[in-house]
Amino acid sequence: FGVVSNVAIMANVMIVPLVPLAMLGTFLAGIAGLVFPPSIASFIATPVEWLLGYMIACAEWWAALPWAQSEFTAEWWMVAGYVLILIVG
């Protein structure tokens, strides 16, 4: 509320394409944890851990930039215009 991200698009371009791969990897690692001994399951989960670490590091790096966010106060006419655009389409 009152803050706008200046880096959201760039951060999402780097992270969002990897989300399906991370989801698949965590699913497979979970299944491996049920089926195989922990040493084998952790071997399967290690690349997924690296991928998730990359995603977290990207998000933290973009968020730490001094210009990553800006204060924004929406006037009533801006909100009304936005709602009108959403309704009209």
Side-chain angles (χ1 to χ4, degrees), residues 2 18 34 41 50-52 57-58 62-63 65 70 76 81-82 88:
L18 301 174
L34 293 172
W50 295 336
L51 179 62
L52 294 172
C58 280
W62 282 107
L65 293 173
S70 299
W76 70 269
Y82 180 71
V88 174

Side-chain angles (χ1 to χ4, degrees), residues 2-87:
V3 179
V4 176
S5 174
N6 299 324
V7 297
I9 293 174
M10 286 110 30
N12 279 305
V13 164
M14 292 179 70
I15 294 171
V16 169
L18 301 174
V19 170
L21 186 60
M23 291 174 65
L24 176 64
T26 54
F27 173 74
L28 294 176
I31 296 298
L34 293 172
V35 176
F36 298 112
S39 59
I40 295 174
S42 66
F43 178 74
I44 294 170
T46 300
V48 180
E49 184 179 1
W50 295 336
L51 179 62
L52 294 172
Y54 164 78
M55 294 167 74
I56 291 169
C58 280
E60 289 175 346
W61 184 81
W62 282 107
L65 293 173
W67 49 273
Q69 63 184 11
S70 299
E71 298 285 327
F72 179 73
T73 305
E75 301 293 331
W76 70 269
W77 57 269
M78 292 178 186
V79 175
Y82 180 71
V83 170
L84 184 65
I85 290 171
L86 288 176
I87 292 172

